[in-house]
Amino acid sequence: MVQGYAYAVRFPRRLAAGALGLAALLLLPGAGMAAGEASAPADPRPGRSPAYDEGSHELRCTILDAATGDTLFARCQVKGADGLNYVPILGGFYHSANGGYFYSNGTFDVPVPNGRTIVRVGRGFEYAGSADTLAVHSDTSIVVRLSRLVDMGALGWYSGDCHMHIDHAGGSYTLSPADVLFISRAEGLNVANCLDNGYHFTGAPASCSTADCILYLSEEYRTNGEGHLGLIGLTSLVTPTDGLWWPMDSNVAARAHAAGGLAISAHPGSSFDFWHVEEWPANGIARELPIDVIGHAIDAMDVMSYSNCRLSGIETPLWYHLLNCGFKLPASAGTDAAVNRQEELPPGGYRVFVLVPGGSFTYGSWLDGLAKGRTVVTNGPLVTHFDVADRMPGDSLAYAHGSNVAAGRISVRSVHPVGRIEIVQNGVPVRTMVLTGASRTSVDTTFTVPIDKSCWVAARVLGAGKGWVTIGDTMFAHTSPVYFKVAGERVLEQGDAQYLLAWVTDLRTLGSTKGQWLEPVDSVGFFAACDAAREYYNRLILGPASDAGSGGAGSTGAPPAIRCANAPNPFSGSTALTFTVPNGSAAGGPGGGAASAATGTVRLTIYDVSGRIVRRLVQKSLPGGSHTVSWDGRDESGARVASGIYFARVSAGAQAVTRKMLLVR
């Protein structure tokens, strides 16, 4: 039997699927107590006899690796003929989310009612999960053999969750490091980073860690205004662990680096409400991130997090804005799963695979690979190989001039079918591979990408969510980029620099209206950082810097030839957007071609403050000159949008300009 957490013998064996709330938790023996302190609960189903389990049968399950015969830790679900979840009398750490699940060290016993019983077993993304339907009419034993799709470790890829909690407020369980190692092994994780601000902290991997599953307890830094940081791999704790508006994230990141750790931007898109800093989730937005990347304070960004508010928790828009301004920012994934809360989704449902060459997997080598950007984030599809011009994710390559063609290769394996693979250059798909037949689960193919200017190239895998192990309604994987520098210029898309300039300006405004400072000097430091960042982005807009990695200002030049204005501004009903496009401005631009060079393909798009597309007003060829389009304050579906700040972005070829607008209902 599983020996993770000791329940009293009279543990109620039936649990309503996905519906066990706080009131029922109070009936769980041992919830929030040390083992041995539990008291026998009342029957949680009023009107039922305490002997309601009479007539049930014992179901015994053993979980094995189909190839080796080794016993496997796994995530499990048992659903009886009455539609309710059944769990082991001892152990398992039952959770009600995702249809209900518990954990096993390879064998478990569950009393189930007579009749049809469904047993689900899964172990991360490298194994094909199992779903068996049984007719149980007596005590029954089954063996579940899980087939391994691919051994990522053998290929040098090791998975991790950069943001877990085992001692979060409101927890149902009191967990030890050994308990969390047990859960992490069942999820097939190689690295589990628990950020509970000193809980069992030692400054080194937990002593219970194994060669293939390393547990590290560290901390999370939280501010009201600037965002949260996951501080992983610390050899000593960083103080303070939270603040109103000071210390800034960059200050804390420097302390984390001094303590041997990394600073990761945690759940950077926790809300769309930029102006609300008083409470979660809006106070979790990574508002300071466009400032921090200038000084290389942040080591990676959680592109995937349960706490990101976008579809399936995938925050690519802000990441793309930053990459398109020449910042090298690795992709990471941290679920923010509070494992001690019974209603939480499982850790590792989103994870980052880090390439550790030469089979030298240690916690230190894993951190080093993460910081170098040798990463892939995923909730299921496995990118086993990706290179462009023989460069791996995180690598760079310089060309003396444009007109280059880089050859690449990508390999993907997935338990569940995926729909397409996209090769993304500066945020735009330049190669799309629509998958059919057997290729939907196994792909190994080559491609080419034109490198005409400084850019980044990455791969993303997309499909409809499927399977019990997959979290979210979208199958998704994304590599960190390979970076290309052409003729010594940095990667720079003007519209993205303008977007980040507006972002930092809004942060400064937010700090002036809602900032809370214990000392006047703290506010001085905050506003100085905002002003320096505004100057930096202004210089990028006026002329691209010559060195993407230096953080320098670079040369200046003429502002973009495109112009855009709107009136009235602020507005309450509609506003007229007037923009001027020069003749031939679209030549050589992304998404253009011979036709766009001749006629000028113009896009006028409305965005909200988080970068989400609200409305596409223009997407067609227009002659050079002045044009006027009205926006009625409605989104793509025709619904009226809320009051707030919006951005109108006009682009034609390689040029773009952004106009900030204020809608007041």
Side-chain angles (χ1 to χ4, degrees), residues 284-302:
I285 299 174
R287 295 179 180 87
E288 193 188 319
L289 185 55
I291 297 175
D292 294 337
V293 292
I294 296 173
H296 309 286
I298 303 302
D299 299 291
M301 169 182 158
D302 281 345

Side-chain angles (χ1 to χ4, degrees), residues 299-594:
D299 299 291
M301 169 182 158
D302 281 345
V303 171
M304 300 188 73
S305 170
Y306 295 160
S307 296
N308 284 335
C309 63
R310 292 186 186 279
L311 177 69
S312 292
I314 302 167
E315 180 54 55
T316 54
L318 177 57
W319 188 40
Y320 287 178
H321 286 311
L322 296 165
L323 293 174
N324 283 349
C325 286
F327 301 114
K328 297 179 179 179
L329 187 62
S332 64
T335 58
D336 200 14
V339 186
N340 62 320
R341 291 178 177 171
Q342 193 216 48
E343 67 277 10
E344 288 285 306
L345 289 169
Y350 300 160
R351 63 187 64 186
V352 55
F353 279 88
V354 176
L355 182 61
V356 179
S360 55
F361 171 61
T362 64
Y363 187 76
S365 64
W366 190 86
L367 281 189
D368 183 63
L370 176 62
K372 289 179 177 176
R374 304 189 185 282
T375 65
V376 178
V377 297
T378 183
N379 67 350
L382 299 172
V383 179
T384 59
H385 179 88
F386 177 71
D387 78 84
V388 188
D390 293 324
R391 285 355 187 233
M392 305 296 288
D395 287 343
S396 300
L397 179 63
Y399 289 112
H401 50 74
S403 302
N404 306 284
V405 176
R409 174 178 158 237
I410 184 167
S411 300
V412 177
R413 300 292 302 277
S414 179
V415 170
H416 299 291
V418 294
R420 68 185 187 274
I421 299 172
E422 296 176 340
I423 306 303
V424 181
Q425 184 180 57
N426 286 11
V428 178
V430 292
R431 295 286 183 270
T432 299
M433 309 167 201
V434 178
L435 306 180
T436 59
S439 70
R440 297 189 67 194
T441 58
S442 180
V443 178
D444 189 345
T445 188
T446 59
F447 58 88
T448 59
V449 180
I451 309 294
D452 298 322
K453 63 176 184 178
S454 295
C455 63
W456 56 269
V457 178
R460 64 188 181 202
V461 183
L462 300 162
K466 186 175 182 181
W468 178 60
V469 173
T470 301
I471 303 299
D473 54 7
T474 300
M475 296 279 284
F476 181 83
H478 206 305
T479 71
S480 281
V482 178
Y483 303 93
F484 294 92
K485 182 182 288 188
V486 176
E489 295 185 350
R490 75 179 295 153
V491 176
L492 180 61
E493 300 288 345
Q494 292 282 347
D496 295 284
Q498 291 164 342
Y499 179 89
L500 295 179
L501 172 61
W503 177 293
V504 175
T505 300
D506 287 342
L507 175 59
R508 193 185 195 285
T509 301
L510 189 62
S512 67
T513 57
K514 294 189 176 183
Q516 301 178 54
W517 319 100
L518 298 179
E519 300 291 341
V521 69
D522 298 341
S523 66
V524 172
F526 170 82
F527 291 116
C530 289
D531 291 341
R534 292 174 66 201
E535 181 181 356
Y536 180 90
Y537 288 111
N538 263 316
R539 288 198 297 259
L540 288 187
I541 293 166
L542 292 174
S546 61
D547 186 354
S550 68
S555 60
T556 61
I562 298 176
R563 299 286 188 271
C564 181
N566 74 298
N569 191 23
F571 66 100
S572 59
S574 64
T575 186
L577 288 147
T578 300
F579 55 95
T580 302
V581 181
N583 290 316
S585 65

